[in-house]
């Protein structure tokens, strides 16, 4: 009797695993993301996310940039699979721990809160990766950017590795060719790279991220002569050499998503070496001029490029996460 029922249980479990595996296969092989993915399964999903983003940004405007950036850091490392959100375990040092992320990316509590709310409303439905994609759009719009359709149906990954971040994410010291090469790895071209760099229209940067340009240009103990002198003076006031962990704005209007970033570049007020590098190529110069003369074209094209970034390829296998910070199996 007891062995019968345990066999039955085993059988059930086996079938359950099979069903899960088949569902996963179906989802992975379809690949096609859809704007209406949650309409039937969780009609309130989009409004829940938007309400939460509104609440977070109303309470702290600076969180919008951080939330938007998470989708970028997610998609560039093993595709848009929520891997950037995973906490390290004893056996796995995750992306969060990588030099390029640690102490820099933030917004995890906010994503966790959104996920918690969604699990309450529609258990087992909305992936962490999709949450990041929608949040990036809503946060951008909240700061004045144009909306774009977010295509949904991403599955979450079950692994995340710190040492995959190097080589996957661009770095602040990259030149134009390196930036192009890094974006190409996820299917984005040079123009996408120039447009997406406009993400630096919002948010802030640690002073230490451009100290070389302010204080030790080419190891010469001088200020980068290409920086507008009055801007260099301003930056030195904002960022004394003793304070690498202080912050300054990424562009002149860092609380508003607009094309001021490109105006800054064209007037020698770029911040990061990688920002300034955009103007070392004719395509970058041309785009910056266009973005300034026709700001609406930038606002539109940014959304188009974000859609493209949201399709960044990544490896299987996928799993399910009830909590974005760790892996747990989906109830069958
Ligand atoms: C082109 C190559 C890129 C490089 C080298 C780069 C590098 C950086 C660096 C060094 C920071 C400052 C981090 C800190 O000081 O802690 C930063 C901030 C930021 N980045 Fe990028 N980034 C790039 C592209 C992008 C893209 C494509 C987006 C989004 C579409 C983006 C969105 C942001 C945002 C919003 C912030 C401000 C974050 C905040 O205020 O919390 N970046 N980036
Ligand atoms: C994940 O790590 C963060 C710190 O990085 C911590 O605040 C959070 O509580 C952790 N989440 C879980 C579910 O352990
Ligand atoms: C990534 O590269 C940097 C130097 O470019 C190195 O210091 C760091 O240890 C590497 N690995 C990780 C996981 O950050
Ligand atoms: C703009 O930059 C300043 C640092 O100069 C920072 O304190 C502020 O939070 C940033 N604003 C936003 C909306 O990110
Ligand atoms: C670098 O230049 C500053 C003045 O701009 C000077 O005070 C400092 O001693 C110099 N450091 C070295 C190592 O030359």
């Amino acid at each position: 009797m007891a062995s019968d029922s345990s066999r039955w249980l085993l059988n059930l479990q086996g079938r359950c695993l099979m069903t899960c595996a088949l569902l996963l296969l179906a989802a992975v092989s379809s690949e096609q993301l859809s704007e209406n993915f949650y309409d039937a399964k969780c009609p309130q999903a989009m409004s829940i996310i938007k309400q939460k983003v509104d609440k977070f940004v109303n309470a702290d405007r600076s969180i919008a940039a951080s939330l938007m950036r998470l989708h970028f850091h997610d998609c560039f490392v093993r595709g848009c699979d929520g891997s950037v959100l995973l906490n390290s375990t004893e056996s796995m040092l995750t992306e969060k721990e990588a030099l390029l992320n640690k102490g820099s990316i933030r917004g995890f509590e906010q994503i966790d809160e959104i996920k918690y709310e969604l699990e309450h409303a529609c258990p087992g439905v909305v992936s962490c990766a999709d949450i990041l994609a929608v949040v990036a759009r809503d946060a951008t719009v909240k700061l004045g950017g144009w909306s774009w359709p977010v295509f949904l149906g991403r599955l979450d990954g079950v692994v995340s590795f710190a040492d995959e971040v190097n080589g996957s994410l661009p770095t602040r010291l990259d030149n134009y060719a390196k930036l192009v090469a890094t974006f190409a790895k996820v299917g984005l071209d040079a123009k996408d790279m120039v447009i997406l760099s406009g993400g630096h229209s919002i948010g802030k940067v640690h002073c230490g991220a451009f100290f070389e340009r302010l204080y030790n240009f080419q190891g010469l103990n001088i200020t980068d002569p290409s920086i507008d002198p009055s801007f260099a003076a301003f930056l030195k006031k904002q960022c004394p050499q003793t304070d690498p962990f202080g912050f300054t704005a990424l562009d002149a209007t860092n609380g508003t998503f607009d094309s001021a970033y490109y105006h800054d570049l064209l007037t020698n007020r770029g911040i990061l070496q990688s920002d300034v590098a955009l103007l070392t190529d004719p395509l970058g110069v041309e785009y910056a001029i266009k973005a300034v003369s026709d700001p609406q074209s930038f606002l539109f094209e940014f959304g188009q490029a974000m859609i493209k970034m949201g399709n960044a390829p990544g490896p299987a296998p996928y799993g399910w996460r009830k909590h974005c910070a760790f892996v747990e199996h989906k109830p069958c």
Side-chain angles (χ1 to χ4, degrees):
M1 192 59 183
S3 79
D4 265 352
S5 70
S6 62
R7 210 172 300 143
W8 181 82
L9 254 177
L10 267 176
N11 195 15
L12 184 74
Q13 253 175 356
R15 228 182 303 160
C16 181
L17 280 176
M18 280 266 292
T19 314
C20 280
L22 286 176
L23 280 176
L24 272 180
L25 270 180
V28 171
S29 58
S30 77
E31 288 267 321
Q32 201 60 47
L33 302 178
S34 135
E35 206 186 343
N36 308 315
F37 190 79
Y38 294 115
D39 284 5
K41 281 172 272 205
C42 189
Q44 40 321 26
M46 296 303 112
S47 65
I48 288 175
I49 298 177
K50 183 175 179 299
Q51 277 167 25
K52 285 285 177 186
V53 170
D54 282 352
K55 187 193 87 168
F56 295 138
V57 178
N58 288 339
D60 169 14
R61 204 167 172 81
S62 80
I63 199 68
S66 311
L67 289 171
M68 186 270 258
R69 187 180 183 217
L70 281 178
H71 183 46
F72 158 51
H73 280 224
D74 185 33
C75 292
F76 269 58
V77 187
R78 42 179 58 238
C80 315
D81 65 343
S83 56
V84 73
L85 301 172
L86 283 170
N87 279 8
S88 293
T89 62
E90 269 167 35
S91 58
M92 188 167 74
L93 193 67
T94 60
E95 291 167 29
K96 278 184 180 181
E97 238 58 53
L99 219 64
L100 290 172
N101 282 334
K102 202 179 167 102
S104 184
I105 49 173
R106 62 187 196 118
F108 301 111
E109 298 82 7
Q110 287 77 8
I111 299 297
D112 285 349
E113 190 178 317
I114 291 170
K115 175 67 163 169
Y116 179 85
E117 196 78 15
L118 288 168
E119 284 302 304
H120 184 72
C122 323
V125 173
V126 186
S127 69
C128 298
D130 278 344
I131 293 173
L132 291 180
V134 176
V135 162
R137 188 262 316 269
D138 292 352
T140 303
V141 170
K142 186 79 177 148
L143 294 201
W146 279 13
S147 191
W148 64 85
V150 179
F151 296 91
L152 300 163
R154 292 172 190 79
L155 294 166
D156 288 335
V158 288
V159 292
S160 170
F161 302 108
D163 60 15
E164 285 185 349
V165 173
N166 272 353
S168 297
L169 280 180
T171 85
R172 63 190 181 83
L173 300 176
D174 287 348
N175 63 23
Y176 189 87
K178 185 81 195 300
L179 292 172
V180 170
T182 303
F183 277 67
K185 285 188 196 172
V186 290
L188 298 167
D189 62 25
K191 189 172 176 199
D192 298 323
M193 185 278 287
V194 172
I195 295 170
L196 288 169
S197 293
H200 290 175
S201 171
I202 53 176
K204 57 189 194 290
V205 50
H206 282 102
C207 293
F210 58 100
F211 264 1
E212 298 93 338
R213 299 191 67 224
L214 266 193
Y215 297 112
N216 199 17
F217 178 65
Q218 293 184 351
L220 296 172
N221 194 31
I222 57 166
T223 303
D224 181 340
S226 77
I227 306 176
D228 173 277
S230 67
F231 189 59
F234 163 80
L235 286 179
K236 285 177 184 170
K237 219 178 210 167
Q238 289 262 300
C239 291
Q241 210 163 356
T242 49
D243 191 16
F245 297 110
F247 286 103
T248 196
L250 270 168
D251 88 346
T253 58
N254 72 329
T256 307
F257 194 91
D258 56 19
S259 62
Y261 167 79
Y262 297 100
H263 184 261
D264 287 349
L265 295 184
L266 291 168
T267 53
N268 303 312
R269 289 160 175 255
I271 300 277
L272 298 172
Q273 197 169 306
S274 55
D275 295 324
V276 173
L278 297 187
L279 297 194
T280 62
D281 188 273
L283 193 152
V285 177
E286 193 190 323
Y287 193 81
I289 293 171
K290 184 184 146 197
V292 170
S293 67
D294 181 5
Q296 302 203 333
S297 73
F298 164 65
L299 295 180
F300 174 74
E301 289 178 322
F302 184 78
Q304 299 302 301
M306 287 293 274
I307 293 172
K308 206 168 161 187
M309 187 182 85
N311 282 317
Y318 296 95
W320 171 254
R321 309 222 301 267
K322 185 174 173 58
H323 193 294
C324 294
F326 59 89
V327 177
E328 198 181 279
H329 295 290
K330 185 175 185 167
C332 272

